Amino acid sequence: MSIDPTGAAGPHPDLRGLYCNALDLMRQQMADHPGAGPPIPANLQPDDVTIRSQRTWYGVDGFSPEINGANYAAAIVQLSDGDNHFSFFIEAKQPGGRGEWQWAGTSGGAQQENRLDDSGGFSLSGGSHVCVGGLTHLRPKLKAIEVEHADGSRVSAPVGADGAIIVLAPVMSEPSQADEVIVRYLDANGNTLSEDRAWFGNGGPPPMEMLQQMAR
């Protein structure tokens, strides 16, 4: 993987135009779901968004061709529209480490103005990678995040100077249909404050028993 496994050192590409396009796509999708909250403003321009935190990894190593050799970026992006305020976790990738950057995922939405920094994201790309992170000022005991794959490989990152933790954890060996991933939230001593377990798989549907468990 890149020399800086936390992605904090950069350099960080200016992807605000790509983020605006991703948010416009999300706005169109939300239009089909009335009551989903205030709409994302239309016709966003790069200067309309604030990059609250960004991480960039260069020359990513991984089992999947989707991520192997790629450059990858994840950012917490914030914007306001009158009394409406929004915070998003947006991912982008540059396949093969060259050419145009491409949108890779978006999560988030409207937030109260005083809770804009209570934001983050959790993306699972089956058979490829996990990207998870967020801002930590409302969780002072949280000092690191660790991702563990089914093969036992682990990737972690500490809180950065900007108050954010963002971890990119590529799959390093051939995944199976039944793989799970564990995301641990750690304190300063490495103790687990909480953890998430999720089906990860190899890009296909989970086994029937897992489907039944997920439906409960």
Side-chain angles (χ1 to χ4, degrees):
M1 203 166 170
S2 60
I3 294 173
D4 171 39
T6 69
H12 304 301
D14 184 356
L15 299 177
R16 291 176 300 164
L18 180 65
Y19 299 153
C20 288
N21 291 338
L23 292 174
D24 186 62
L25 177 61
M26 191 173 185
R27 178 185 62 81
Q28 295 175 48
Q29 294 171 340
M30 290 176 64
D32 296 328
H33 301 280
I40 299 169
N43 303 314
L44 285 172
Q45 301 301 310
D47 287 344
D48 295 330
V49 301
T50 296
I51 308 305
R52 176 62 177 80
S53 298
Q54 185 163 327
R55 301 289 187 268
T56 311
W57 298 265
Y58 290 93
V60 175
D61 293 328
F63 176 83
S64 169
E66 177 184 329
I67 192 99
N68 188 48
N71 298 332
Y72 201 88
I76 295 172
V77 180
Q78 299 175 345
L79 62 108
S80 295
D81 179 34
D83 292 333
N84 298 323
H85 307 278
F86 304 84
S87 191
F88 301 93
F89 189 70
I90 306 182
E91 301 156 77
K93 61 183 177 182
Q94 189 182 39
R98 57 187 180 275
E100 294 293 323
W101 283 85
Q102 303 173 7
W103 168 76
T106 307
S107 60
Q111 290 273 10
Q112 296 177 14
E113 185 175 13
N114 62 351
R115 296 185 66 89
L116 272 177
D117 281 351
D118 182 20
S119 59
F122 192 149
S123 175
L124 302 173
S125 182
S128 176
H129 65 280
V130 175
C131 191
V132 58
L135 293 157
T136 63
H137 80 294
L138 291 181
R139 298 185 66 184
K141 291 184 178 181
L142 178 60
K143 299 300 180 183
I145 293 178
E146 177 185 79
V147 177
E148 180 178 353
H149 285 295
D151 64 0
S153 62
R154 300 184 183 191
V155 180
S156 63
V159 178
D162 57 0
I165 312 174
I166 301 178
V167 181
L168 174 65
V171 174
M172 301 304 294
S173 59
E174 185 170 6
S176 75
Q177 184 186 21
D179 283 355
E180 290 186 302
V181 65
I182 304 172
V183 179
R184 298 185 180 93
Y185 302 87
L186 309 176
D187 65 14
N189 297 316
N191 299 314
T192 300
L193 298 170
S194 62
E195 69 177 34
D196 294 319
R197 288 176 174 260
W199 171 76
F200 188 78
N202 58 1
M208 182 56 67
E209 59 270 22
M210 280 194 170
L211 275 173
Q212 293 171 345
Q213 291 174 4
M214 292 162 66
R216 292 175 184 169

